[in-house]
Amino acid sequence: VLFNPLRQRVQGWIDRIFFRGRYEYRERLRDLSSRLASLLSPPQIREMLLDAVSRSLQVEKVTLVLAEGGDYRLYSLGRPQAGEAASPELAFSISLAGRKGSPLGRAAAGGWCGDDREGETLRALFEALEAVLLVPLPSHDVNPGLIALGQKRSGELFVDEDVELLTTIANQAATAIENAQSYEALQALNRELEQRVAARTAALREAL
């Protein structure tokens, strides 16, 4: 009864003292997971996700790539509201990376592919996004996009713990984005229904 709570407190204290930097960004990412679930605005979700990942992992660049309206749009820090449309070649590369289903490092991109053409396509994607790590956003139906991370400012490599945390965040982000898009679609449907009811009511009044 007493040992497990005591062990967790001691472990948390050790993490704060000896692994302060890692502990802090891990806590930020956990906080991000809980806050994402409460948001229903896609711009707010994008802004929070970009800011939290950039500050927590101290990367030089982070790009959020999302599937919207049959195309992919690229969102970066400072520009979460207006996404840049991906070219057809870049969209194909994004779709290929998303089909891999798990985080993909730049150094291992060639080894993940079945032929040299796929390897060249993925290497071009890393170059275009200035990324060293791609974390796909999971989905049951289509590839909704990915998170592209540049190199850490410290020059350190991404370790297994980084990848594990980013995968968790990608899962949370994909769910939050899908919920927000469904909510926006529902709001648009309600507005359209209200307009139709108003028009029908006006027509009935005129007829009467």
Side-chain angles (χ1 to χ4, degrees), residues 148-169:
L149 295 104
Q151 189 172 355
K152 289 185 178 181
R153 296 190 185 99
S154 63
E156 297 177 355
L157 299 175
F158 288 96
V159 297
D160 290 341
E161 187 178 25
D162 295 331
V163 176
E164 183 179 349
L165 289 168
L166 284 167
T167 302
T168 302
I169 292 302

Side-chain angles (χ1 to χ4, degrees), residues 157-190:
L157 299 175
F158 288 96
V159 297
D160 290 341
E161 187 178 25
D162 295 331
V163 176
E164 183 179 349
L165 289 168
L166 284 167
T167 302
T168 302
I169 292 302
N171 292 336
Q172 295 284 344
T175 302
I177 290 169
E178 288 179 358
N179 290 342
Q181 289 174 344
S182 299
Y183 180 73
E184 280 196 334
L186 182 60
Q187 281 189 317
L189 186 61
N190 286 336

